[in-house]
């Protein structure tokens, strides 16, 4: 993944904080919706949440689009609620962009997959079900073993 530090500085700083602390290691892709996105960065295999830092300000006004292969911050209905969870778009999802968002905020794109998009696509086709009160959870756990910065 290439990060867009110039376009989303606070979001990238937040993502790197989780990366450098090892917080993402051992988490899972806990939400997979075929032909939409895969979401991870917040849950362990038993569906408990990792501890998170303070929410980051929504930087979706950076003119980056939720195109296939981009990574963006997941959040609640509060536009400034993103903490550790992110998603990777499986197709162009420009309805998530600030300019098209019904809430006027959208979802902040802060990077893109530069190698291994076929792995992302494969994750996007796994069978899903319900687990611990969550829907769209992969039946076979998809673990994020290690996240590290490569210069």
């Amino acid at each position: 993944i290439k990060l867009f530090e110039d376009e989303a500085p606070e979001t990238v700083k937040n993502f790197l904080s989780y990366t450098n602390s090892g917080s993402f290691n051992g988490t899972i892709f806990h939400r997979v919706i075929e032909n939409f996105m895969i979401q991870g960065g917040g849950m362990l295999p038993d569906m408990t949440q990792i501890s998170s830092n303070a929410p980051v300000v929504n930087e979706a006004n950076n003119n980056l689009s939720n195109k296939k292969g981009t990574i963006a911050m997941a959040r609640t209905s509060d536009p400034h609620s993103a903490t550790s969870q992110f998603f990777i778009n499986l197709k162009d999802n420009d309805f998530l962009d600030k300019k098209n968002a019904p809430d006027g905020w959208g979802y902040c794109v802060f990077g893109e997959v530069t190698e291994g998009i076929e792995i992302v696509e494969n994750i996007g086709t796994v069978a899903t079900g319900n687990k611990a009160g969550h829907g769209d959870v992969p039946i076979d756990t998809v673990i994020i073993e290690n996240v590290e910065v490569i210069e």
Side-chain angles (χ1 to χ4, degrees):
I1 293 174
K2 175 185 177 187
L3 300 176
F4 301 136
E5 191 170 12
D6 290 342
E7 294 85 353
E10 294 303 314
T11 306
V12 168
K13 180 179 169 186
N14 176 66
F15 186 80
L16 289 174
S17 170
Y18 289 102
T19 298
N20 293 330
S21 70
S23 297
F24 288 140
N25 300 346
T27 61
I28 62 171
F29 281 104
H30 66 275
R31 186 171 176 231
V32 172
I33 302 176
E34 190 169 6
N35 204 30
F36 177 43
M37 62 89 217
I38 64 174
Q39 183 173 333
M43 303 273 195
L44 296 170
D46 66 0
M47 297 302 288
T48 58
Q49 290 190 337
I50 66 168
S51 60
S52 60
N53 301 331
V56 67
V57 65
N58 188 323
E59 296 178 302
N61 62 345
N62 61 14
N63 294 319
L64 296 175
S65 182
N66 281 273
K67 300 179 307 191
K68 179 180 179 178
T70 58
I71 183 170
M73 291 306 295
R75 62 174 177 84
T76 67
S77 58
D78 175 351
H80 305 291
S81 61
T83 56
S84 67
Q85 293 187 32
F86 58 85
F87 61 92
I88 302 173
N89 289 290
L90 294 172
K91 67 178 191 76
D92 292 350
N93 290 314
D94 64 354
F95 71 95
L96 298 175
D97 297 349
K98 180 176 175 60
K99 67 181 178 185
N100 300 323
D103 68 359
W105 284 98
Y107 292 79
C108 178
V109 171
F110 66 96
E112 69 181 337
V113 175
T114 56
E115 288 182 44
I117 193 67
E118 64 280 353
I119 296 167
V120 173
E121 292 169 339
N122 287 341
I123 294 169
T125 64
V126 301
T128 60
N130 296 315
K131 183 176 180 182
H134 296 272
D136 304 309
V137 180
I139 302 294
D140 295 323
T141 305
V142 181
I143 298 176
I144 300 170
E145 292 179 4
N146 184 47
V147 179
E148 62 185 35
V149 175
I150 301 170
E151 298 292 334

